[in-house]
Structure formats: structure tokens, C-alpha cells
């Protein structure tokens, strides 16, 4: 900052610019505050009370020490300022009357409560192994690709999948996160875009974990023979299926069980273009010709599908940056089209928006 610039810019613009810088520097505090609220069960407790509660009630439900009531207020004020809660004062109440200020869940926070919610994603996305990976981002950008591996590998000396194989806690929070995400999005997809599953006789969910997505599909379409393919340590001995869903241990880079359709939910964004092409080629080998109903169903983000919305554009850019930690990436339509073509699929694909930039993509063999 130069003295000349200080003289040329209005005080209000300087204040906004400084707030922008501070917001970037302390952005992690928002994540930690949300994690704290979820760990304490605050959103779910408010949901059980009809979606609103006073600070004293929140403190009691969350078992917050009475001496920390003012600190809890600071937590709630931050999460209110960042859009997770709203706040109203009861008529005649004072600013420091903790029994009179009422906090309410926003639409955003309602994604973290109820029978279908994304709160299990919080312990994974804000976990020490994931967050600490980004301390190595600068070194990773300066390193030779072959030597560095992913950002996660540079930070921890192994891939996320290798760590999960040996760390039961990390493996559990990854699987819990996948289950929560799959249940919510598949329910929404079946409600809004259920036609994509009609007419299928069989389906393989590649990388489907414990089968949360597949179980939703099997319940809605009981005539579809559903199979989950995932790595042995993900499926484990305790996942045997319920008769509706079959589990197969394997590697999607080697082979995929034959089926009318293959489902790839949040799989391809974990990998670079060349690996995605290999995965899609294995998918193509597993399905019949298009005239026999063969197709691949991809559930993933399509960057740029909501032009002009700053919040969504920021989320897309953040998500794309986040995926760097495992050498993954988010893609726009042209990038998707390129890998489809190189893998031997038709240019005649369908992109069906579901929630914001999250879409269902149907692709067909040539």
C-alpha cells in the first residue's frame, strides 16, 4: 500500500478492501466455527425445537459451560454474519439479555439438519489431514509433478486413500461423508430427474462406498439389479448387502462388473484427465451398446452452469481449488466433453442440473 494510493481511494473503499483481505486471512475461522457448532449439535438441537432457540436454550442443549455464555454468543454472531443463522431481538429486551435474543436456522443451515443432511461432511472437510495438506501448497506448486505427487502426499508422505486404509478414523469419516452426500443428492435426483433410471435392468455404482446412493436407487426402482464396486478396505467385511444391493471388491482402473448402466457419483473430479479417460474406458467395456440401453450416469459439478451468481462462482472456484489436494479437479462443459470424446463416448450427452452447479450427466457409447 502506497501513500499515493491511500490519498486516491476513498476511506469507505479502503475499509471494504481491508475487510476483504481480513476475510481471506481469517476465512478458516468460519470453517472452524461451523465445525464447532456441528460438533456441539447446535443446528440439530435448534431443528428439534422448531428451528429457533434463545442463546440460553442453545447453551443448555449444547452443554456449554455457564461461564462461556458470552463466548458462545460470539460463535453464534459469526455464524449469523456468515449466513448460517438469523437473529431477532424480542421487544423490550436488552442487547446483553441472552434469554431474549432468538436465533433461527437459515435455508443454508437446514442442509445440516433433519433425516437427510450434510453434517457428516464437516468432520471430513475440516479434518486435520485434509486442512494441513494445504500448508504444503506452495511447495507443491514449485515441485516436479512426478516427485511431488498430490498436495496430500507431499504433506503426509502417502495418498489419502493409503492413509484411510491404515487409519480407521479417517476411513470412517470419509465413508460417513460419502453416505450423507449420496443419500441427499440421490433423493433429490430421483424426485426431480428419476427418469434417468427408468428402463435399466442393472446398474453398477463405481466407487460407491457403503452403497448409500445405490440403496436409494434400489428402493425407488426395485427391478434394477444394483451392484457397488469399491476397494476392499472401503467395503470391508462388515458390508455384506441387504439382498437388494450386491457388493464387489475391485479396482475401477482394472475392470468393472457388466451392467446396463454405470454410476459415477463424485468420482471423476478426484482424478486428472488421463485417469478419467481410463475409468470411462473401463465403464464403456462394462455396458452394452446404446441401442441396448447402455449408458454412464455421472453426478458431478459442471463449472459455469450458473453464470452471474457470485456466491456460486466463488463456491465453484473454491471447490476446484480444494480438489487440488488429491490432484483432482472440477470441470466445465467443454472439459467434460473432451474426456468423453477421448474415452470413446458420443458427443450426444445430456447435462441435467440438479442443485446449482451440481448436475447429472448422461453419456452414451458411440
Amino acid at each position: 500500500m502506497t501513500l499515493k494510493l491511500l490519498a486516491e481511494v476513498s476511506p469507505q473503499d479502503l475499509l471494504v478492501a481491508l475487510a476483504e483481505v481480513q476475510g481471506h486471512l481469517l476465512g478458516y475461522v468460519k470453517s472452524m466455527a461451523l465445525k464447532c457448532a456441528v460438533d456441539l449439535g447446535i443446528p440439530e438441537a435448534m431443528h428439534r425445537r422448531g428451528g429457533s432457540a434463545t442463546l440460553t436454550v442453545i447453551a443448555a442443549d449444547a452443554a456449554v459451560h455457564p461461564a462461556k455464555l458470552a463466548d458462545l454468543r460470539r460463535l453464534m454472531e459469526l455464524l449469523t454474519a456468515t449466513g448460517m443463522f438469523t437473529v431477532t431481538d424480542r421487544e423490550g429486551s436488552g442487547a446483553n439479555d441472552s434469554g431474549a435474543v432468538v436465533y433461527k436456522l437459515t435455508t443454508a443451515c437446514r442442509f445440516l439438519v433433519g433425516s437427510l443432511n450434510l453434517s457428516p461432511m464437516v468432520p471430513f472437510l475440516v479434518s486435520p489431514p485434509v486442512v494441513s495438506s494445504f500448508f504444503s501448497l506452495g511447495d507443491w506448486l514449485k515441485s516436479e509433478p512426478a516427485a511431488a505427487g498430490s498436495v496430500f502426499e507431499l504433506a503426509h508422505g502417502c495418498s489419502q486413500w493409503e492413509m484411510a486404509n491404515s487409519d480407521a478414523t479417517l476411513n470412517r469419516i470419509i465413508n460417513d461423508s460419502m453416505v450423507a452426500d449420496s443419500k441427499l443428492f440421490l433423493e433429490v435426483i430421483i424426485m426431480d430427474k428419476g427418469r434417468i433410471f427408468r428402463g435399466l435392468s442393472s446398474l453398477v455404482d463405481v466407487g460407491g462406498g457403503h452403497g448409500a446412493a445405490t440403496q436409494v436407487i434400489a428402493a425407488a426402482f426395485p427391478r434394477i439389479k444394483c451392484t457397488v464396486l469399491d476397494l476392499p478396505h472401503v467395503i470391508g467385511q462388515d458390508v455384506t448387502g441387504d439382498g437388494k444391493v450386491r457388493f464387489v471388491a475391485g479396482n475401477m482402473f482394472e475392470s468393472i462388473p457388466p451392467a446396463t448402466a454405470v454410476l459415477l457419483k463424485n468420482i471423476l473430479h478426484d482424478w486428472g484427465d488421463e485417469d478419467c479417460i481410463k475409468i470411462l474406458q473401463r465403464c464403456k467395456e462394462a455396458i452394452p451398446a446404446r441401442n441396448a440401453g447402455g449408458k454412464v450416469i455421472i453426478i458431478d459439478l459442471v463449472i459455469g452452469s450458473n453464470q452471474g451468481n457470485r456466491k456460486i462462482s466463488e463456491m465453484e472456484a473454491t471447490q476446484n481449488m480444494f480438489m487440488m489436494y488429491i490432484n483432482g479437479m472440477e470441470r466445465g462443459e467443454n472439459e467434460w466433453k473432451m474426456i468423453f470424446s477421448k474415452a470413446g463416448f458420443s458427443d450426444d450427452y445430456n447435462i441435467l442440473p440438479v442443485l446449482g452447479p451440481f448436475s447429472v450427466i448422461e453419456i452414451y457409447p458411440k
Side-chain angles (χ1 to χ4, degrees), residues 334-347:
N334 287 338
E335 294 165 306
W336 281 118
K337 183 177 180 179
M338 181 272 292
I339 64 171
F340 298 158
S341 179
K342 288 189 175 181
F345 286 83
S346 170
D347 288 339

Side-chain angles (χ1 to χ4, degrees), residues 266-271 300 319 323 328-331 336:
N266 289 350
I267 298 298
L268 297 182
H269 76 162
D270 288 346
W271 303 93
D300 233 315
Q319 182 75 18
M323 293 310 300
M329 62 184 295
E330 304 296 352
R331 295 174 171 87
W336 281 118

Side-chain angles (χ1 to χ4, degrees), residues 26 32 34 39 106 170 198 217 237 265 285 294 346 351:
L26 296 175
M32 296 304 172
L34 183 60
D39 288 347
T106 62
L170 179 62
R198 294 193 188 111
I217 296 168
Q237 295 181 351
K265 182 189 174 296
E285 293 167 359
S346 170
I351 296 180

Side-chain angles (χ1 to χ4, degrees), residues 181 185 266 269 299-302 305-306 315-316 319 330 352-360:
D181 181 70
F185 276 89
N266 289 350
H269 76 162
I299 302 173
D300 233 315
L301 190 145
V302 180
S305 54
N306 287 265
M315 183 274 284
E316 289 175 349
Q319 182 75 18
E330 304 296 352
L352 309 171
V354 179
L355 282 174
F358 294 97
S359 300
V360 173

Side-chain angles (χ1 to χ4, degrees), residues 9-300:
V9 180
S10 72
Q12 181 62 28
D13 287 344
L14 283 173
L15 179 60
V16 171
L18 180 59
E20 192 74 35
V21 172
Q22 287 292 100
H24 278 77
L25 291 174
L26 296 175
Y28 67 92
V29 177
K30 293 193 295 184
S31 300
M32 296 304 172
L34 183 60
K35 182 179 185 302
C36 177
V38 170
D39 288 347
L40 292 173
I42 290 173
E44 190 60 45
M46 292 173 65
H47 175 64
R48 290 196 301 268
R49 291 182 176 277
S52 64
T54 64
L55 189 68
T56 50
V57 169
I58 293 169
D61 286 346
V64 172
H65 193 284
K68 299 289 179 67
L69 195 63
D71 301 302
L72 176 63
R73 180 186 291 112
R74 288 197 285 180
L75 176 74
M76 296 300 293
E77 286 173 349
L78 172 59
L79 292 174
T80 297
T82 53
M84 302 309 294
F85 303 114
T86 59
V87 63
T88 57
D89 293 330
R90 288 179 179 169
E91 187 175 352
S93 65
N96 296 318
D97 185 354
S98 60
V101 175
V102 179
Y103 293 93
K104 295 183 179 181
L105 301 174
T106 62
T107 302
C109 200
R110 289 188 181 277
F111 274 102
L112 303 177
V113 299
S115 58
L116 293 171
N117 73 81
L118 300 178
S119 62
M121 296 181 70
V122 177
F124 167 55
L125 295 176
V126 197
S127 66
V130 171
V131 174
S132 62
S133 298
F134 286 92
F135 286 103
S136 300
L137 184 58
D139 292 334
W140 180 82
L141 287 169
K142 293 185 289 185
S143 302
E144 289 284 343
S150 66
V151 177
F152 191 99
E153 287 173 290
L154 185 62
H156 302 294
C158 64
S159 72
Q160 175 180 267
W161 321 117
E162 289 169 336
M163 183 180 288
N165 193 20
S166 60
D167 185 332
T169 299
L170 179 62
N171 191 46
R172 176 181 55 78
I173 65 172
I174 290 175
N175 288 328
D176 288 349
S177 176
M178 288 175 59
V179 166
D181 181 70
S182 294
K183 283 183 176 179
L184 174 62
F185 276 89
L186 261 297
E187 291 285 1
V188 171
I189 288 167
I190 286 173
M191 178 178 64
D192 189 41
K193 304 287 190 302
R195 65 156 191 80
I196 65 173
F197 299 109
R198 294 193 188 111
L200 297 179
S201 59
S202 57
L203 176 141
V204 176
D205 183 3
V206 173
H210 289 183
T214 326
Q215 287 163 1
V216 175
I217 296 168
F221 301 92
R223 293 185 178 181
I224 299 177
K225 295 179 180 179
C226 294
T227 300
V228 172
L229 173 75
D230 216 317
L231 295 170
H233 79 269
V234 174
I235 292 178
Q237 295 181 351
D238 57 330
V239 181
T240 57
D242 56 3
K244 298 179 181 179
V245 177
R246 183 172 70 105
F247 289 85
V248 175
N251 188 322
M252 63 187 173
F253 287 101
E254 297 172 359
S255 66
I256 293 170
T260 310
V262 172
L263 175 66
L264 296 167
K265 182 189 174 296
N266 289 350
I267 298 298
L268 297 182
H269 76 162
D270 288 346
W271 303 93
D273 290 346
E274 293 305 313
D275 283 327
C276 285
I277 292 166
K278 292 175 185 175
I279 294 167
L280 288 174
Q281 287 171 338
R282 300 293 83 75
C283 292
K284 189 168 180 285
E285 293 167 359
I287 60 176
R290 182 173 183 174
N291 59 13
K295 66 178 177 179
V296 176
I297 301 168
I298 298 166
I299 302 173
D300 233 315

